[in-house]
Amino acid sequence: MNRPSAFAGKSNRFISASVLAAVVGLLLLTIVFGSWYTVDQGERGVKLRYGAIVGIAEPGLNFKVPFVDTVEHVSVQNQTILYDRVESYSKDQQPATLRVSVSYRVPESSVEELYSQYGTIEKMVDRLVSRKLPDEVKNVFGRYTAISAIQDRTRLGIDINETLKKSVVGPVTIDSVQVEDVTFSDAYEQSIEKRMMAEVEIQTKRQNLETERINAEITVTQAKAQADSALAKAQAEAEAIRVRGVAEGDAIKARGEALKQNAILISLTQAEKWNGVLPTTMVPGNAVPFLNLKPNSGND
């Protein structure tokens, strides 16, 4: 009767020892594996001891006290949040809906401040960005007319970006604000489209008029160039005629002077031009050209 009781007691003690060993082993494993942790490159670790911040862990392998220290991971990478329907009014009282995206990041030096004041990035964004963005968009958009907001959306985005950066003060950096879309009522958008088409048509007509003016100026310039060329040519021809006339006059004058000074040269010129045929008709009393019929006194 006593043997089964003794066996049962040994069995219970063995089970208890096994459970204890398993608990101790599990505890040791927990201590070993719970004493280290890793932080990704795009994060920083907020090290807490009993809930109080005791340091900021850099990327890589880090160590902590098991069961005492805990680590909260905070991203320092750029993030984007989209505000799909931000309602506003233009300067000319036209209701509009804007889609705006905001790119932001938590500076590495502000991780501790972020966790101390807000706990998480989401809570920080909600309080610093999401609550201020609609008012800042309304203030800036209200300085634009509906048409100018559409035609100069880039400038609108720059103004909203600068305004939001100035208004958001805290452990966050606003990298950029983009106005991705501006939507008005269907009726107003149709009226804007018609107005823009009219402006395009007017601009096209202005360009056509400018083209015609330039073409006319080109035609006038070409005609003037041709007229100047013709005038220059006529002047050149006139000058050539004048020079030839002066030359011919000088030649005649020189020839007349030569003939005047030498009477024999006249006869020589006549002889050069005579064809050797005697005239068939003679006027009484006139001499036969180039024939001297008087006897030579030297041959009498």
Side-chain angles (χ1 to χ4, degrees):
M1 296 296 295
N2 294 331
R3 289 181 180 179
S5 298
F7 178 78
K10 290 181 179 180
S11 178
N12 292 334
R13 285 195 298 272
F14 177 77
I15 293 174
S16 299
S18 298
V19 172
L20 180 61
V23 171
V24 171
L26 182 61
L27 181 61
L28 291 175
L29 289 175
T30 303
I31 293 174
V32 171
F33 287 101
S35 62
W36 58 273
Y37 61 96
T38 59
V39 178
D40 291 339
Q41 184 62 43
E43 297 179 337
R44 293 298 182 269
V46 180
K47 190 175 180 179
L48 305 172
R49 182 166 297 166
Y50 299 115
I53 298 176
V54 294
I56 303 297
E58 296 294 323
L61 182 65
N62 294 271
F63 297 93
K64 62 184 180 66
V65 178
F67 308 110
V68 176
D69 296 341
T70 57
V71 178
E72 296 292 338
H73 296 265
V74 177
S75 175
V76 293
Q77 293 179 327
N78 182 274
Q79 301 183 57
T80 301
I81 183 171
L82 179 64
Y83 299 90
D84 193 50
R85 297 185 60 84
V86 180
E87 296 182 353
S88 183
Y89 282 87
S90 63
K91 186 177 181 179
D92 49 353
Q93 298 301 311
Q94 293 297 329
T97 302
L98 289 78
R99 184 168 68 246
V100 181
S101 62
V102 179
S103 296
Y104 65 94
R105 58 185 172 84
V106 177
E108 299 174 6
S109 59
S110 301
V111 171
E112 183 174 346
E113 179 184 356
L114 165 74
Y115 190 83
S116 297
Q117 295 185 7
Y118 304 100
T120 64
I121 293 179
E122 290 74 16
K123 292 180 180 179
M124 180 270 296
V125 170
D126 181 66
R127 292 178 58 182
L128 294 184
V129 181
S130 298
R131 294 184 183 181
K132 293 184 178 181
L133 178 72
D135 292 337
E136 300 303 336
V137 169
K138 290 178 181 178
N139 292 335
V140 175
F141 192 76
R143 300 198 295 264
Y144 286 78
T145 62
I147 294 179
S148 63
I150 294 177
Q151 293 178 340
D152 200 5
R153 186 181 300 176
T154 301
R155 182 71 254 176
L156 173 64
I158 293 174
D159 290 344
I160 294 177
N161 179 53
E162 294 176 351
T163 302
L164 188 63
K165 284 182 177 180
K166 292 179 181 178
S167 64
V168 175
V169 179
V172 62
T173 297
I174 303 297
D175 290 326
S176 66
V177 178
Q178 301 291 332
V179 178
E180 299 185 1
D181 188 30
V182 179
T183 303
F184 294 93
S185 65
D186 293 340
Y188 189 74
E189 287 188 349
Q190 290 176 3
S191 67
I192 291 178
E193 184 178 358
K194 292 180 180 178
R195 187 179 303 178
M196 293 182 68
M197 291 177 62
E199 290 181 358
V200 170
E201 184 177 357
I202 292 173
Q203 186 65 26
T204 301
K205 291 181 178 180
R206 287 177 179 174
Q207 291 178 353
N208 292 337
L209 289 175
E210 182 67 15
T211 302
E212 292 177 359
R213 184 186 66 80
I214 293 174
N215 291 335
E217 289 180 354
I218 292 174
T219 302
V220 171
T221 302
Q222 291 176 344
K224 187 176 184 300
Q226 293 176 356
D228 292 343
S229 177
L231 178 61
K233 184 177 180 180
Q235 289 177 343
E237 291 179 353
E239 181 64 17
I241 293 173
R242 186 189 68 79
V243 171
R244 286 198 302 269
V246 172
E248 291 176 357
D250 292 342
I252 293 172
K253 182 178 180 182
R255 191 177 182 86
E257 291 293 333
L259 292 175
K260 183 178 179 182
Q261 295 178 5
N262 192 347
I264 298 175
L265 185 60
I266 298 174
S267 298
L268 176 61
T269 303
Q270 291 176 347
E272 289 176 349
K273 294 184 177 180
W274 183 45
N275 57 6
V277 180
L278 292 174
T280 58
T281 303
M282 294 183 61
V283 179
N286 285 346
V288 178
F290 310 115
L291 293 179
N292 187 1
L293 301 179
K294 292 181 180 182
N296 190 344
S297 60
N299 297 327
D300 287 341

